[in-house]
Amino acid sequence: MNDNEARRLIDRAAIHDLLVRLALAQDARDWDTLADCFQADAMYVHPGGELVGVEAIVNRTRTALTPLDASQHLLGTILVTVGDDQATAITYFQAQHVRRGTPGGDLYIIAGTYRDHLVHDVDSMWRVARRTQEYTWRDGNPQVTRRAPTETGETSA
């Protein structure tokens, strides 16, 4: 194995760990670690819209997960492709959300795919520059993730 091949294996392991750290940070409500997983100007495209900047990403995640009693983001089937200072990852996820006492049931599951574009930054750390979240299927009670009305009277999920 040459140095280039060894470097790519090390990078793939680091990216895998970053994706796991991101999922664990969500469930632990560790917003600082979550923020550290993204570039400052990262973009997050999800079925409900688009977020730009790590602050917007953390704020939406915090708003979505804080009302829950528990969440668990399970990752599997992770494919990482590494270039020189950029990489891509395709990851299947299953996100379980629990809020006790929700009329209609306490559990809501969302399954889908994260498509990440990652960059190797000046700190020699891999970070997510762009994440696209796609839903494949959902099951359970969507009211579990329904948030209270906003000041404009809208509800968001």
Side-chain angles (χ1 to χ4, degrees):
M1 176 181 303
N2 65 38
D3 288 346
N4 193 35
E5 291 169 330
R7 179 79 252 158
R8 291 202 192 284
L9 287 175
I10 291 167
D11 287 339
R12 285 181 63 212
I15 291 166
H16 182 276
D17 288 354
L18 168 71
L19 299 174
V20 170
R21 191 168 53 255
L22 196 160
L24 293 172
Q26 289 175 306
D27 297 329
R29 315 306 194 256
D30 182 349
W31 313 125
D32 291 336
T33 298
L34 181 69
D36 195 47
C37 293
F38 289 92
Q39 275 198 306
D41 62 348
M43 180 177 288
Y44 194 129
V45 179
H46 58 91
E50 185 176 293
L51 304 164
V52 178
V54 70
E55 186 175 329
I57 294 166
V58 171
N59 285 340
R60 181 179 189 280
T61 305
R62 179 186 294 122
T63 300
L65 296 180
T66 297
L68 302 177
D69 292 305
S71 66
Q72 188 174 55
H73 290 75
L74 305 171
L75 305 179
T77 314
I78 301 172
L79 176 64
V80 176
T81 305
V82 178
D84 290 332
D85 287 324
Q86 298 186 31
T88 59
I90 300 170
T91 307
Y92 286 177
F93 74 88
Q94 189 177 101
Q96 302 180 49
H97 306 88
V98 178
R99 184 161 41 177
R100 290 181 205 85
T102 304
D106 298 348
L107 179 64
Y108 186 50
I109 301 171
I110 301 171
T113 304
Y114 294 126
R115 295 181 188 282
D116 294 313
H117 176 80
L118 305 105
V119 295
H120 203 223
D121 68 12
V122 294
D123 298 334
S124 295
M125 298 289 297
W126 285 99
R127 289 195 170 81
V128 176
R130 179 183 174 95
R131 169 168 274 194
T132 301
Q133 180 184 35
E134 303 164 352
Y135 294 169
T136 304
W137 59 268
R138 293 176 271 182
D139 191 29
N141 181 8
Q143 295 302 313
V144 168
T145 58
R146 184 77 50 199
R147 293 185 288 285
T150 64
E151 291 180 12
T152 63
E154 299 174 19
T155 58
S156 53

